[in-house]
Amino acid sequence: MKRKTMKRFVVVLLVISMLAIAGCGSKSTNTEPGNNNVGEPVKIEIMANNYGTNPPQNDFVKKALDEALDTDITLTLGSADYATQLGTRIASGDFPDMFMLGSEELRKYSKMGVLLDMTPYMDQLSGYKELVDADTIKLGLIDGKQYSLPKPIARKPAGILWIRKDWLDNLGLKVPTTTDELLKVLKAFTENDPDGNKKKDTYGFTGNDLTAFNALFGAYGLTNGGAQFISRDGKAINVLDQPEMKDALELIKQYISSGVVDPDVMSNTVSQLFEKASQGKAGVIYTDWTNIMKDDKVAIWKNANPQADWIALNPVAGPTGVAYDGHSDIGAPSEMFAISKNVGKDPEKLKKIIEMLNYVSTGEGAHLVQFGIKDTHFTETDGKITITDLGQQETNYTFLYQFTGRPNLEYLKVKFPNQVQYIEETFRREFIEALDGFIVPPDGFNKADSDRYITEEFIKFIYNKRPISEYNDFLKTLDSTFNYKLYKESAFEQLAKLGYSQ
């Protein structure tokens, strides 16, 4: 009897011991950042465009995120041909867990059944919804389903005109305020030796591709054809149909035929544009402030010529007094991320991705992906964030982890304290409101082919390869060959539902 009792006691002890061991090895259900689960971290692959930037070998953002979230994040970064690279992955069936995509890809891949409908999970994305407004979130909807998570819209583009003030002073010229005055200045910059080196080795103006002429199109209240639907007095119009578009093309043609425009303007890369500006090859450029006024850029052109003085030029007015630097698509998110439908089959991974998206949207997680490690890359005193010298050096890549975006104006002013005047300058300006981001192209219309044709013909017009008298023929071909008439009808119908009458 005593022997049976002893055996039972031993069995109970063994069971208790096994349960204790199992309990020690089980995962915690606490998913708050900083309470890491015991066991293997959740692997998450995220594919995005790197925009020419890669994380350093010592990727402190990844390390901090992985430690806070109990993840193993892998960034798979594409390049300038990112959309094609993503398409190859999708076509092979090897889907990243989360990936960046544009409006066209959103529509395409949602129809293919590649994307997870996030509608049932939106209540869990409290941090994301705190950062991104409801109207922007709706831009990720397709047929009422939330197939992507848009970032906050960067409503203010940074492209404006910049001019060499020292060249103006050397030639006794005033800052131009109209398109006619600008052309006269550009002729002087090209022909009158503005840098005083006794050589005719300068051009008045440079830029890269058709965006170089955004301010000239803007002088007629129009875009360069990249955005085709704009708001004017609360109504939607198609810029290609406006009679003043021919006048804008004629003006740009006049600039080019006058010999004041860099002959490589259509092929310049952004880096080549800056190289020409910094080396004193042109006196007016159209570009983003980050390409000429960041500290490292200023150091380069100041080193090349200590007398150089680049200043922001107000948009020049056209014949009716209209003046815009360019356009801002108010219907297009800066970027958006989608989650693979396959992730829906892995509740633990999906839960972790949601946790990650909330974490990088607010609080310490947002500070991490925006500014780096606290007290190393930035300091915070009474709510004011200051970037350290090390932060200026090491955080140029952290934007790769801003999956849900950032409050752009506030972020830029903190990140670039020496450029606040240029940042505020850009944000205070009025830009043409483009509406293209609201439009879903109808079936039977290939927008990529249409856009390519528009660009090709615009270039022919301004370089006198096709007479502008044939502009109406161009529109007829666009309507018939490219089915643009169908696109316009659908676009106006969609915009009318949003309150933009025709």
Side-chain angles (χ1 to χ4, degrees):
M1 188 73 177
K2 288 182 178 180
R3 187 176 296 174
K4 289 183 179 179
T5 302
M6 182 61 69
K7 284 183 178 180
R8 288 172 184 164
F9 180 73
V10 171
V11 169
V12 171
L13 284 177
L14 286 172
V15 170
I16 292 172
S17 299
M18 291 172 68
L19 288 172
I21 292 171
C24 290
S26 66
K27 282 198 170 187
S28 166
T29 57
N30 189 342
T31 58
E32 287 297 315
N35 294 282
N36 295 347
N37 297 329
V38 178
E40 291 297 318
V42 177
K43 294 184 177 181
I44 302 173
E45 184 194 7
I46 302 167
M47 188 170 180
N49 193 327
N50 69 354
Y51 299 109
T53 301
N54 289 299
Q57 188 172 1
N58 177 28
D59 185 347
F60 56 82
V61 178
K62 169 183 164 55
K63 181 180 179 181
L65 286 176
D66 286 345
E67 289 179 353
L69 300 167
D70 193 22
T71 54
D72 181 6
I73 296 172
T74 297
L75 286 185
T76 300
L77 298 173
S79 57
D81 200 21
Y82 169 76
T84 300
Q85 296 167 29
L86 174 62
T88 300
R89 286 287 300 270
I90 299 297
S92 70
D94 179 21
F95 307 153
D97 296 317
M98 189 171 87
F99 46 92
M100 181 192 297
L101 75 176
S103 298
E104 288 294 313
E105 290 80 20
L106 171 62
R107 288 186 279 268
K108 176 181 177 182
Y109 296 140
S110 63
K111 290 182 179 180
M112 290 173 57
V114 171
L115 310 180
L116 178 68
D117 176 14
M118 292 295 293
T119 308
Y121 310 101
M122 293 306 293
D123 287 343
Q124 300 174 35
L125 286 162
S126 56
Y128 169 72
K129 292 193 293 184
E130 184 178 334
L131 174 66
V132 184
D133 66 273
D135 288 338
T136 299
I137 294 174
K138 290 177 183 177
L139 297 176
L141 291 171
I142 296 290
D143 297 329
K145 295 182 178 181
Q146 194 77 46
Y147 282 116
S148 75
L149 302 175
K151 293 185 180 183
I153 296 174
R155 295 187 183 276
K156 294 288 188 177
I160 62 175
L161 291 170
W162 301 84
I163 191 168
R164 284 283 296 267
K165 178 65 165 55
D166 56 310
W167 283 14
L168 289 173
D169 294 342
N170 291 345
L171 299 177
L173 300 171
K174 295 181 179 179
V175 175
T177 60
T178 67
T179 56
D180 288 342
E181 290 176 3
L182 177 60
L183 181 55
K184 291 177 182 178
V185 165
L186 297 182
K187 287 180 178 179
F189 282 0
T190 304
E191 300 168 358
N192 298 347
D193 190 24
D195 56 1
N197 68 353
K198 310 301 182 184
K199 297 178 182 178
K200 191 175 181 180
D201 58 355
T202 57
Y203 283 101
F205 177 74
T206 192
N208 64 299
D209 64 52
L210 275 179
T211 62
F213 304 105
N214 275 1
L216 298 184
F217 284 105
Y220 290 86
L222 300 173
T223 72
N224 63 16
Q228 294 147 30
F229 293 86
I230 65 173
S231 172
R232 182 180 289 176
D233 298 325
K235 296 183 178 181
I237 66 170
N238 181 276
V239 298
L240 303 179
D241 289 338
Q242 305 311 305
E244 58 266 34
M245 179 59 83
K246 287 186 280 188
D247 297 328
L249 293 170
E250 283 282 9
L251 176 68
I252 298 168
K253 175 183 169 184
Q254 181 185 359
Y255 271 55
I256 293 172
S257 62
S258 297
V260 302
V261 177
D262 174 11
D264 298 323
V265 67
M266 297 307 302
S267 60
N268 282 335
T269 62
V270 173
S271 60
Q272 288 171 331
L273 162 65
F274 173 72
E275 183 179 352
K276 291 178 179 181
S278 62
Q279 292 178 354
K281 300 300 181 183
V284 176
I285 61 173
Y286 183 92
T287 194
D288 187 318
W289 66 266
T290 61
N291 294 325
I292 191 167
M293 283 301 178
K294 288 176 67 174
D295 290 343
D296 59 332
K297 302 294 186 182
V298 173
I300 291 172
W301 54 258
K302 275 292 187 183
N303 183 62
N305 181 1
Q307 304 304 315
D309 182 17
W310 285 99
I311 64 169
L313 181 62
N314 285 326
V316 288
T320 63
V322 174
Y324 290 99
D325 290 295
H327 65 272
S328 175
D329 193 337
I330 64 172
S334 303
E335 292 167 350
M336 59 182 83
F337 275 88
I339 298 173
S340 164
K341 191 172 184 178
N342 291 343
V343 173
K345 303 172 185 176
D346 187 340
E348 183 180 14
K349 179 174 288 190
L350 177 57
K351 186 176 183 179
K352 190 60 68 174
I353 289 176
I354 290 173
E355 182 184 345
M356 176 189 69
L357 293 171
N358 284 328
Y359 185 60
V360 301
S361 297
T362 61
E364 65 180 29
H367 286 168
L368 169 67
V369 300
Q370 291 176 34
F371 310 119
I373 306 297
K374 187 176 182 180
D375 297 326
T376 298
H377 300 110
F378 73 94
T379 59
E380 185 174 9
T381 304
D382 297 328
K384 181 181 179 181
I385 294 176
T386 302
I387 302 296
T388 66
D389 290 341
L390 190 62
Q392 293 289 5
Q393 298 169 22
E394 294 186 348
T395 60
N396 67 310
Y397 78 97
T398 63
F399 71 89
L400 296 171
Y401 290 93
Q402 294 169 9
F403 306 128
T404 57
R406 65 199 186 203
N408 208 35
L409 177 58
E410 294 83 353
Y411 165 82
L412 292 173
K413 290 169 70 172
V414 170
K415 197 73 179 284
F416 304 102
N418 294 334
Q419 285 74 37
V420 167
Q421 69 180 100
Y422 307 115
I423 297 166
E424 292 181 338
E425 173 76 15
T426 298
F427 274 79
R428 76 167 177 79
R429 297 192 181 194
E430 293 297 322
F431 290 83
I432 296 169
E433 289 189 348
L435 307 173
D436 297 61
F438 291 121
I439 302 166
V440 178
D443 293 335
F445 174 72
N446 189 315
K447 192 172 189 305
D449 287 348
S450 171
D451 287 349
R452 188 179 306 110
Y453 176 69
I454 292 169
T455 299
E456 290 172 351
E457 299 309 301
F458 270 33
I459 292 172
K460 289 178 184 177
F461 287 135
I462 64 177
Y463 278 93
N464 204 25
K465 302 297 182 182
R466 182 177 185 179
I468 296 178
S469 60
E470 293 184 5
Y471 186 82
N472 289 341
D473 294 330
F474 150 72
L475 291 179
K476 290 178 182 177
T477 301
L478 190 61
D479 280 347
S480 58
T481 304
F482 294 90
N483 213 6
Y484 194 75
K485 183 179 180 180
L486 171 67
Y487 180 49
K488 284 194 296 185
E489 291 173 350
S490 176
F492 283 126
E493 181 179 344
Q494 293 176 58
L495 293 173
K497 293 178 180 178
L498 296 175
Y500 295 98
S501 60
Q502 191 176 345

